[in-house]
Each structure stands twice: as C-alpha cells, then as structure tokens.
Amino acid sequence: MSKKTTDPAFETSIGNGGETHQNVPAKGAHQDDQAHLTTNQGIRISDNQNSLKAGARGPVLLEDFVLREKIFHFDHERIPERIVHARGSAAHGVFECTDPIPELTRAGLFAEKGKQTPVFTRFSTVAGGAGSVDTPRDVRGFAVKFYTDEGNWDLVGNNIPVFFIQDAIKFPDLIHAVKMEADKGYPQAASAHDTFWDFVSLMPETMHMVMWAMSDRAIPRSLRFMEGFGIHTFLLVNAKGESKLVKFHWKPVQGMQSTCWDEAVKIAGADPDYHRRDLYEAIESGDFPAWDLGVQIFDEDWAAEQPYDVLDATKLIPEEVVPVRIIGRMTLNRNPDNFFAETEQVAYCPANIVPGIDFSADPLLQGRLFSYLDTQKSRLGTANFHQIPVNAPKCPFHNFQRDGMMQTQVPKGRANYEPNSLTAADEDGGPRECPATAFTSFPGNVEPNEADTRLRIRPDLFADHYSHARLFYRSQTAPEQAHLASAIVFELSKVALEPVRLRVLSRLRNVDEELAARVAAGLAMDLPEAAEAASPPIDMEPSPALSILEQGQPSLSGRKVGILFAEGSNLEAIEKLKAQIEKAGGSVLLVAPRVGGIKVKGGTLKADGQLAGSPSVIFDAVASIIMPDAAQAMAKCSTTQAWFADAYAHCKTIGACPATKALLEQWGLESDEGVVGIEDFASTAPARHWDREPKIRLLA
C-alpha cells in the first residue's frame, strides 16, 4: 500500500495494483457499526477491492465467501418487470379530506374535514419496458395507494377515463398486440405498427379509447399536469347500508398541459427521463404537485335511463351531465428513499378496498380483481409481498396466514387456525372476524340483471362503439382535432398492411366523417364504405371538460423557463426577469454557450445549462437577453437556431430583446402574439400560441 490520505470519515490508500481503498481508520470509531462494511451475515470486510487468490497471480479460491456472496446477490438483483406499466415514477404524499361525505360512504378517510391519510402514488407508461423513454405516445398509469386507518385502498387507474376493451378476457390480446411484435422484438413503447392497428380495426369497442390515445392527452408535458381517473364504476356504501354509484377523478391543481408530437419526440432524445426528473426535481425544490379528488355520484335509476351502460369501461359520463364534486386533495411531498425498494416493489391491486367502497359488476374490473394479485406474486416472488414496507398497511393487521417464501413475521404461539378454544388454556387464540365494523360486500344487486342463466354475452348497450368516440372528437378545439387526426395519420403510415388501414378508415367514418376524410387525405387513400355498426351511433352534446385547451392557458406555476444569455448580456435585466418568473411560481434555468463564469454587463454570471445540452424542448417557454455582437456570432450557430426554431415550431412564448428579434427575423421566424418583449414575457408565458401552427407545420 502506498501513501495514505485522510478525509473526515475514512482513510484513503492506494493498493499494489493502483486500486483505491477507503478504510475505517485503524484508530477510528470501531464501535460505529454503520461505518463498517459487512457481509449479509454481519461479518466485517477487510478488503472490498480484491478477490482471495492463491498467490498474487494465482487462481481465485472458492473459499472467498465475500466474493461469492457479493456476486450471488448481484446476479439476482433484478426481478421480472411488470408486463404493463413497467416504467414508472412515484412519490409519497398525503391525502386530506376537504368535503366529508359520510352520507355517501362509511369509509373513514372521507368521514371528517381535515382527515389526513398517507399515500404512495405511482405514474407509468403502459406499453414500454422499464428502460424505455418517458415521453412516447401512450396511456399513463395513475395508481394511488391510500394507507387508511381501516387498511389499504388502491385506486388503480389511468390518465384517461375509459379503456380499450369491455371484458378482461381480451386484455392479453390487447397487450400482445400493442407490445413489440413477436417476431421482430420492436417497436418499443409504440403503438404505430401492424399488430396494434390490426387488433383495433377488428375490435370496434376500442374506438373511443383510440380517440384519447391519439389526442394530446397521451403526450403530457408532465406527470404533474395530467388528470387521473378510476375508469370503472364503483359503489359507495354508507353506515345505513345504502349505496350510490361513483366514478373517481383526479384534477391537477396546476392545470393540464401537453406537448405536441414533434416536441415529445425531441424530448425523448434530449432527456429520456424527462417526466421522472421533472417530478423528482419539483418535489425536491418544494414545489409539491397536488391533485383534487372528485366524485361523480349517481344512482341506478339514473343509470338505467342513459343511452349507454355505466358498467362499460369504454364509456364515460360527461361532467356537464353529472358534475364532479371535489372531496379532497392529494399532495405529493416526498421522493422515495430508494427507487427499487419503493417505486419498483410497490404492488397495487384494485381488490384492495376498505369498508364503504365496493365493486360494481363491470366485467373489466372483475377481471382486474384477480389479475393484479396474481401478477404481484409472479413479479415479487412470494405471497408475502404485502410485508414489503411500501405495501404494508400502516394500521395493524392480523390473520392466520402463515409461512411462505420470504416470510418476515414471527408469529408466536400455536394458534394458526380458527375457530379454536386455546384461550381456555390461557393461550393466545388469535384474532376473530367482526361483522359490526369489518368490510361487508353490498348485498343488493344495483344493476338490473337476471342471474338465472349462465351466459358468455355482453349487454345490448355495450354494442354502441362510436357515440362516445364521436363525443370526444367533437368536444376538442380545432387545434386538438388537427393533432388527433395527424396522430392517426402518423400511426397508420407505419402500418404496412393496407387492409388494416382501410378497416380503420371504415371505423372512423362512424366516428366523424370529417375526421375520416382528413386521415384518408393524409394517407393518400380513398375512403372505403363505412363499417357496419352493431348499434347506430348517436349525437351527444359536446363536453368542454374533455378538451385540454378549453380549460384555459396554464399559469407559470410549476413551469420551467429557459433564459439564454451570452457574453455582454445585461445582468440586471436577467435578474429582473428571473425574479418575475419565480414570483409567478415558475422556475428558471439559465442557458449559455458555456457553463463557466461568463462576463456580462454588471459582473460575471454562471449558466445552469450549456446551450447544446439544454434544448428548448425541455422548457415551457424561453427568453433571450443578448447583445448585438453576441447575436451576430450566434447567427452562424445551428444549435442556437434550432433552440429558437423548436420553441417557435412548438408554439411557445418567446421573450425577445431587440437583438434577439433581429435574429428571429434573420432566420425567417415571423413575429406574432407569442413573440413578446422581455417586459411582457412573464405576463404571457407559458401560453402556447396555436394560431402559429398551421403556418409552420403540415397537419391532417
């Protein structure tokens, strides 16, 4: 060993082969167990850099238990990833009841105003693997585990209120179709391929969900800026045993916002972890994301009068028909301590409910009640996965379930069954059932049904596959309709099978003739005859709640702005703009050609990001404060031009000083209401200026 150096905790030395050793000092605090590296058996390790060998150049000895244990554990570190929702990001938080509803449910978390319940929430993409990117066109999972006083309740939904299929028996077929094609092993995290659209073209029940998946809802700007939905119809049951039907909604407090497709693609290249990083950094900075929990309440008599079946997971109830009542707020305020232990090992299951909440007969929900429990056993390797800390209830739990792989509890006594009479012998007899306070299934049949025959059949109202797809499309604004049509053109252009494209076009004619015509024109194909509809579609009143843009422009709260500067820029102007943005709730990242200290008017300024590594796609709006000399130098830089051109093409607000405006004109980027002076930037950003889009992009 060569010369030693010392840091506050360890001594550092260099070994014979030049390897670095960090050691607990010989005269150090050896009573401090945390400082000492050990095996899993608690044996302290003297050398973690070299295997035990027979001589310096000899073979490694089998007796090296440190090496064997370390390699053995490493070889088994990975567990099977989820078949769907494999790529996820999560956070801890709290749910607070703001409007108690004891008249509707006996569930304790909704019983009193101010009641707080810990939660763990996981967001995810659906189709891609754990190593895929964050910003594909895809459904996003939105799963919340409530650690209530009465046990865990898992509200396992998506950022879209409907689903592709009506019956869980089709779920394996759907996922096989959308995943990588079986012979090729690609595309990853994408639905733009033959097998998915072949399935869609043959399953008209998918058309409503296809509208959502091709809309801007499937390319959210941030996990913080998307809605969540429970999808299914559930039951609320009060203390008197009375029931109501319910659908659950999550409303983002900071508003909804999506990207455009070109932007999402470029973000994937610039930062594959964009959504994960955004969520983590927001929480770390104290900008805690929050969602209001709302409910749509209705009864079976009202449901029976509707032209659709509320048990059909491909249908929704317009908010204008049944308003969403806000009853609480979820705030995510702590990042996981360890990604694998928490985000990867968390196990959600729709079957986890608490007294006061119950299931409906939705056939998709009924299949999920089995599927999730089964998949967690397969993925986590044991029926005892509920003992993993992130899955364990925070209230006491006691039963007679015993043993199994990875059992961590140590039950005492011999009572592992009931009924028993062991208490008569002064032994612990264990817990017992409690009809008075425990969960009991709602005894009534809230949905009209004749259960005297066993059938493999769907109800008649399930046959309407197009009315709600039409409702969604016609509820979108003109820019959103253009995005949706263009997305279908893009996806079908990747489909090599012409009969599949024709079948999809024939389905679209039942949704909306104009939409079908736009897609056909984008594919340079003639429109086929409309597909025969099992049930004629009906026209429904448009629902503005289904449109993102109808909700208004977002504020700067929670948004990120990039400010470009260079040598000679005005430090006072930069600091003034930064302060205005931060006062409005936004955050600022200073961007420059170099990240070291740059001489500016008024001092020296360090950039947070280098221009090439901080493209404008990662910002909600951009501004530039540069001097004429710097502008002329930047005019020759393709990276600088792309920085502005992308912001312009993605319809973002651009704050431009006079020198920047001259640059934009030089590059042919015309001034419009979205190109504003620095003094007007904070009051305009982060608005998107969709009137600009037809001038710069071909849309269907």
Side-chain angles (χ1 to χ4, degrees), residues 300-348:
E300 49 267 39
D301 291 336
W302 179 90
E305 295 173 353
Q306 304 314 303
Y308 50 87
D309 197 319
V310 298
L311 301 184
D312 181 351
T314 70
K315 308 295 193 300
L316 58 79
I317 300 174
E319 294 182 29
E320 292 78 8
V321 176
V322 178
V324 174
R325 175 181 174 182
I326 300 301
I327 60 172
R329 175 168 292 187
M330 174 178 70
T331 303
L332 301 183
N333 55 21
R334 182 167 68 87
N335 283 311
D337 294 317
N338 183 274
F339 183 87
F340 177 82
E342 297 175 287
T343 305
E344 191 64 19
Q345 288 196 122
V346 66
Y348 294 94

Side-chain angles (χ1 to χ4, degrees), residues 580-617:
Q580 290 174 342
I581 294 166
E582 291 175 345
K583 183 179 180 181
S587 61
V588 171
L589 192 136
L590 297 177
V591 180
R594 300 183 303 278
V595 293
I598 295 176
K599 291 182 179 180
V600 295
K601 181 182 177 182
T604 301
L605 187 61
K606 285 188 175 181
D608 301 309
Q610 193 258 352
L611 181 62
S614 307
S616 62
V617 293

Side-chain angles (χ1 to χ4, degrees), residues 217 221 224-227 229 251-258 544-549 551-554 559:
R217 297 274 189 152
R221 149 67 179 88
R224 299 179 291 134
F225 306 150
M226 64 184 192
E227 291 185 321
F229 304 90
K251 301 287 187 182
V253 173
Q254 292 180 318
M256 282 191 291
Q257 188 177 341
S258 292
L546 301 180
S547 162
I548 295 175
L549 298 186
Q551 311 313 309
Q553 292 284 7
R559 272 66 181 183

Side-chain angles (χ1 to χ4, degrees), residues 530-550:
E532 182 178 353
S535 177
I538 61 174
D539 291 330
M540 302 173 68
E541 283 292 321
S543 170
L546 301 180
S547 162
I548 295 175
L549 298 186
E550 287 283 7

Side-chain angles (χ1 to χ4, degrees), residues 397-508:
F397 60 102
H398 312 283
N399 54 52
F400 295 104
Q401 296 169 17
R402 292 292 187 267
D403 308 337
M405 294 179 63
M406 306 307 296
Q407 175 63 253
T408 63
Q409 296 180 331
V410 185
K412 296 180 180 179
R414 54 177 173 166
N416 59 1
Y417 64 96
E418 67 88 23
N420 67 62
S421 60
L422 297 177
T423 55
D426 293 328
E427 297 183 34
D428 184 357
R432 294 295 190 274
E433 63 193 37
C434 178
T437 62
F439 175 86
T440 54
S441 296
F442 184 72
N445 187 5
V446 298
E447 305 91 7
N449 182 50
E450 296 179 5
D452 55 344
T453 55
R454 292 182 293 177
L455 304 168
R456 291 186 184 271
I457 194 171
R458 299 187 189 187
D460 292 342
L461 285 179
F462 276 46
D464 181 2
H465 303 310
Y466 300 107
S467 297
H468 282 240
R470 177 180 295 178
L471 165 68
F472 181 80
Y473 179 73
R474 293 182 178 176
S475 298
Q476 305 303 298
T477 62
E480 290 170 311
Q481 289 182 342
H483 296 168
L484 193 158
S486 298
I488 299 176
V489 170
F490 173 86
E491 297 257 328
L492 291 181
S493 71
K494 301 284 187 179
V495 173
L497 303 175
E498 185 172 340
V500 170
R501 297 200 300 269
L502 288 170
R503 273 201 303 273
V504 173
L505 287 171
S506 73
R507 302 286 184 200
L508 292 178

Side-chain angles (χ1 to χ4, degrees), residues 234-245:
F234 291 87
L235 295 182
L236 294 181
V237 183
N238 66 18
K240 298 178 181 178
E242 300 165 334
S243 72
K244 292 285 187 181
L245 297 166

